[in-house]
Amino acid sequence: MAKIKRDPKSVELANRIIEEYQPESVEDMQNALKDIFGPMFESMLKGEMNHHLGYKSNDKGEKESSNRRNGYGKKLLHTSSGEVEIATPRDRDGSFEPQLIPKRQRDVSAIEDKVISMYARGMSQRDISLTIEDIYGFSVSHDMVSDITDSVIPELEEWQTRPLSNCYAFLFVDCMFTTIRNEYETKKYAVYTILGYTMQGKKDVLGLWLNETESKHKWMQIFDEIKARGVEDIFFISMDGVSGLEEGARAIFPEVTVQRCMVHLIRNSIKYVPSKDYKAFTASLKKVYGAQSLKACQSAFESFKQQWSAYPGAINVWIRNFNHVEQLFEYGSAIRRIMYTTNAVESIHSSFRKVTKKGAFPNDTALFKVLYLRVKELEKKWEGGHIQNWSMVMNQLLIHEGLEERVHKYI
């Protein structure tokens, strides 16, 4: 096994700790860390006080300011290494509200969450280290950041294999590509994402998968896996145009309705349309898939074909897939608005790209850590909410012939 590379500053600090404390046991090391935690937290709080007042201690701004430092108070903190007493800075008018260790908070054992939160927002280990140093005046090594973020790996592994709901009303499937360094070269990999809407109208990311390419065989394996994790039935799957994906989904879930994404079809068809006609072309298409009834849709499609006959390549895309347009009108308008596009999962991928755009990842574990933490951030936003107009969706599912019995089975 190759020797692990350590930050020289971290090695120097470790040697100084060992030289100073001469630890002979894990308990001795924890006691040494407790001694370090105190000054570390105090330094961070002093940094916050400097920011609050707008000047450092003994700066000329102190004489000009109406609010000044007012000594220190004592506070006993509970850390992951035990109890630590610190001196907390105070100001004269009592307006200082520390963010790192808020007033009345004494348990800081979860301070690692702050580093994990920065990591979840796409900050690199270097950026996190520099940010902490800029704000608090001391450095955190890259190795320490890596160790802190590695703490989510067991949670990630548990999440990837957790039992799923027995039924999803809607699934949205899609891939995005990102870069991983493989020894001395970088290579694009496909990240597979599935977003589900539960019978209660809640969003649920079923999992994340990685493969060198997007293929029907990988999608088959994924559908087989989610079935093994407890999914018994799926009403609708919205997808793009990967060849064989529809057949693969039905092989695992025979009763599922597979819907081609209208937005993907638009993208495929405008490849054959000059840019000057994009706006008028897409407006004509919206009259087709956005019609109020099947008859109106078919009438609008005939007009569309005549209007844009100069672009047969674009028209052929819709002729080949018109059965997916007609299929929409077998369901109520509330259902149609959900199933006609994969925008829901593409929105997740847009969020992922914000945290993957900085460059290649050293391995798939590093990639999954970032994406998983991003999913947890999204889930916080989704907490307590429902899919818009979900009650109407459920009513339309209940009155649809062929779905009524399946709906009653899972509500």
Side-chain angles (χ1 to χ4, degrees):
M1 175 185 278
K3 185 179 178 181
I4 298 174
K5 293 183 179 180
R6 298 289 186 189
D7 187 323
K9 291 183 179 179
S10 300
V11 174
E12 181 184 354
L13 178 60
N15 290 335
R16 285 166 55 192
I17 294 172
I18 292 171
E19 182 180 346
E20 178 71 24
Y21 290 91
Q22 298 293 317
E24 296 181 357
S25 66
V26 173
E27 184 178 358
D28 288 344
M29 181 56 75
Q30 287 180 323
N31 288 333
L33 290 174
K34 285 166 61 177
D35 284 353
I36 294 168
F37 281 159
M40 182 180 76
F41 288 133
E42 288 172 355
S43 175
M44 296 164 88
L45 289 169
K46 286 177 183 177
E48 287 199 59
M49 177 62 83
N50 290 340
H51 178 74
H52 172 67
L53 295 176
Y55 57 85
K56 296 181 181 179
S57 180
N58 298 320
D59 279 359
K60 62 179 182 179
E62 185 168 3
K63 295 180 180 180
E64 301 170 359
S65 175
S66 60
N67 188 22
R68 302 182 185 182
R69 290 169 178 78
N70 189 31
Y72 296 87
K74 288 185 178 181
K75 192 170 190 176
L76 190 66
L77 299 177
H78 173 70
T79 75
S80 54
S81 296
E83 303 291 334
V84 175
E85 187 175 61
I86 64 169
T88 60
R90 298 179 302 200
D91 60 341
R92 286 189 175 182
D93 65 13
S95 60
F96 178 49
E97 295 287 344
Q99 300 300 306
L100 177 74
I101 308 173
K103 292 178 179 178
R104 294 174 291 280
Q105 179 181 330
R106 299 188 181 278
D107 188 342
V108 295
S109 58
I111 196 171
E112 292 89 348
D113 289 348
K114 296 184 182 298
V115 173
I116 290 175
S117 180
M118 284 189 277
Y119 197 71
R121 287 171 171 81
M123 293 180 68
S124 67
Q125 293 178 9
R126 176 180 174 80
D127 289 341
I128 293 171
S129 179
L130 290 174
T131 299
I132 291 176
E133 186 170 5
D134 286 344
I135 297 174
Y136 299 115
F138 69 91
S139 62
V140 175
S141 72
H142 297 183
D143 288 333
M144 183 181 292
V145 174
S146 182
D147 289 343
I148 290 173
T149 57
D150 279 350
S151 67
V152 306
I153 292 177
E155 183 183 332
L156 164 63
E157 293 172 345
E158 183 179 352
W159 178 79
Q160 285 280 52
T161 57
R162 75 195 189 282
L164 299 171
S165 297
N166 54 9
C167 179
Y168 289 89
F170 300 89
L171 285 191
F172 306 90
V173 302
D174 196 23
C175 270
M176 62 170 276
F177 286 85
T178 191
T179 307
I180 295 178
R181 289 194 299 272
N182 188 358
E183 294 183 352
Y184 301 105
E185 63 177 1
T186 59
K187 190 173 183 180
K188 290 284 187 181
Y189 281 81
V191 177
Y192 293 67
T193 307
I194 297 183
L195 170 68
Y197 287 1
T198 68
M199 297 298 288
Q200 292 73 41
K202 301 287 187 178
K203 292 182 179 180
D204 183 15
V205 177
L206 279 63
L208 303 167
W209 298 265
L210 197 66
N211 197 44
E212 291 189 2
T213 59
E214 182 179 12
S215 70
K216 65 177 181 180
H217 302 293
K218 182 62 178 180
W219 278 119
M220 277 276 288
Q221 293 172 6
I222 292 171
F223 289 134
D224 203 33
E225 177 188 320
I226 65 173
K227 184 173 184 179
R229 288 167 59 193
V231 181
E232 299 172 7
D233 198 0
I234 300 165
F235 297 163
F236 303 96
I237 294 180
S238 293
M239 49 160 274
D240 62 11
V242 177
S243 177
L245 197 159
E246 184 172 348
E247 293 79 4
R250 286 207 180 97
I252 309 298
F253 299 100
E255 294 186 280
V256 70
T257 296
V258 179
Q259 177 64 46
R260 283 292 304 274
C261 173
M262 296 294 107
V263 176
H264 278 86
L265 290 177
I266 291 171
R267 291 173 188 164
N268 292 341
S269 60
I270 61 174
K271 295 175 184 177
Y272 304 96
V273 178
S275 57
K276 65 182 178 66
D277 288 332
Y278 280 1
K279 187 174 181 180
F281 182 83
T282 55
S284 296
L285 276 174
K286 191 171 183 179
K287 293 177 182 178
V288 177
Y289 64 81
Q292 296 300 309
S293 65
L294 177 58
K295 186 175 180 180
C297 167
Q298 292 168 335
S299 176
F301 188 51
E302 291 304 316
S303 299
F304 167 78
K305 288 189 291 184
Q306 292 176 17
Q307 181 181 358
W308 300 103
S309 59
Y311 307 130
I315 291 175
N316 285 337
V317 170
W318 290 92
I319 291 175
R320 291 195 306 271
N321 292 281
F322 194 62
N323 62 309
H324 283 283
V325 182
E326 292 179 308
Q327 177 178 257
L328 287 170
F329 295 93
E330 296 177 16
Y331 306 95
S333 59
I335 296 174
R336 291 204 302 270
R337 275 192 291 271
I338 291 178
M339 65 186 281
Y340 89 100
T341 178
T342 58
N343 277 356
V345 69
E346 289 192 54
S347 176
I348 293 174
H349 282 170
S350 177
S351 180
F352 285 172
R353 289 187 183 95
K354 292 178 182 178
V355 298
T356 60
K357 64 183 179 181
K358 289 195 173 183
F361 288 81
N363 50 57
D364 56 354
T365 300
L367 171 64
F368 275 127
K369 279 196 301 183
V370 169
L371 297 184
Y372 169 68
L373 289 169
R374 196 60 175 171
V375 169
K376 304 309 287 182
E377 290 284 313
L378 292 172
E379 287 178 345
K380 289 178 184 177
K381 295 180 181 179
W382 299 338
E383 279 181 4
H386 290 79
I387 308 304
Q388 187 176 10
N389 211 23
W390 188 251
S391 58
M392 183 60 70
V393 172
M394 290 301 296
N395 281 316
Q396 292 182 3
L397 289 173
L398 281 166
I399 64 174
H400 191 276
E401 186 178 353
L403 282 177
E404 182 181 0
E405 185 176 340
R406 290 163 67 190
V407 173
H408 278 296
K409 181 179 178 180
Y410 295 107
I411 59 174

